[in-house]
Amino acid sequence: MRKIICIDREYGSNGRIIGKELARRLNINFYDHELIEKATNMLKVKKDILMKIDEKKHRPLLFETLFIDNDHTLGSDSINDILFECQKRLIIEYAQKNDCIFIGRCAADILRENTDYRVVNLFITAPLEYRIKNRMKIEDKSKEEIIEIVKRKDKERQAYYEYHTGKDWSKPYNYDVILNSESLGIERTIAVLTEAFKKMEF
């Protein structure tokens, strides 16, 4: 059976770092920014534009019609919706080809609705202060600015998830496993997940 793991995460919880290393240890493909790279080529839109709208709910005032593969057109009232549909196609396509880990983008719900693969959906969380400290190590901004960014990113991800799935992003029952990356630490979190998925039969 296909091994497919989907990871949702709070901003600053190190979900992407955990997912990428987990993929390496399990020797399976990893998809996050790779989806943006592919969408850039498909939609013929600059990467920096797609990065700004990635995992954000549509904005009704933005109207776009973009062309995919030269002969296929996706029409939408929002470039955000066009990007979602493009990434949806890619997620299904990649899942059909190989074992993999997806970060965000409602991947678990997309695959459960459109394939018969068994999908494990993880949610990586951590206390706000821990996540703020993580981002302060990366971004050259004040603590007040980082607090605003972390809270805004969480709201954007929640709105995106709920808009596309109709589910509550914050409810534990929407996920198979929830882990606190501060409690376990990044290395232990990765080790626990690696051991569990190596033994699990999909």
Side-chain angles (χ1 to χ4, degrees), residues 61-162:
L61 296 180
L62 184 58
F63 294 88
E64 291 285 346
T65 299
L66 300 175
F67 294 89
I68 296 180
D69 298 332
N70 296 320
D71 60 354
H72 182 78
T73 304
L74 277 180
S76 173
D77 65 349
S78 168
I79 190 173
N80 302 67
D81 290 339
I82 294 171
L83 178 59
F84 176 80
E85 290 299 327
C86 179
Q87 291 184 324
K88 176 180 176 179
R89 287 174 54 185
L90 291 171
I91 287 167
I92 295 170
E93 176 186 334
Y94 291 148
Q96 290 172 338
K97 291 180 178 179
N98 50 59
D99 294 347
C100 48
I101 290 178
F102 293 103
I103 298 294
R105 300 173 181 86
C106 307
D109 289 88
I110 288 171
L111 293 174
R112 285 170 175 167
E113 291 176 4
N114 295 278
T115 74
D116 59 357
Y117 298 134
R118 181 182 176 188
V119 177
V120 177
N121 194 13
L122 309 180
F123 190 87
I124 306 299
T125 184
L128 178 61
E129 192 62 33
Y130 172 80
R131 295 188 287 125
I132 291 168
K133 289 178 181 178
N134 284 339
R135 296 311 305 177
M136 288 184 70
K137 295 175 185 176
I138 300 171
E139 302 183 55
D140 185 21
K141 293 181 172 65
S142 68
K143 183 174 182 179
E144 290 71 24
E145 290 175 306
I146 294 295
I147 291 172
E148 192 279 328
I149 292 171
V150 170
K151 290 182 176 180
R152 173 170 51 81
K153 288 285 188 179
D154 280 348
K155 287 181 179 178
E156 289 173 346
R157 289 178 179 177
Q158 180 172 7
Y160 175 89
Y161 176 85
E162 294 179 355

Side-chain angles (χ1 to χ4, degrees), residues 45-62:
V45 177
K46 292 182 179 180
K47 181 180 176 181
D48 61 338
I49 293 176
L50 296 185
M51 288 292 290
K52 289 178 181 178
I53 64 169
D54 189 33
E55 290 194 276
K56 293 184 176 68
K57 182 182 174 182
H58 80 295
R59 290 178 292 171
L61 296 180
L62 184 58

Side-chain angles (χ1 to χ4, degrees), residues 5 14 28 33 43 51 58 74 81 131 159 189 200:
I5 302 164
N14 290 318
I28 63 178
H33 295 159
L43 298 175
M51 288 292 290
H58 80 295
L74 277 180
D81 290 339
R131 295 188 287 125
T189 298
M200 183 180 293

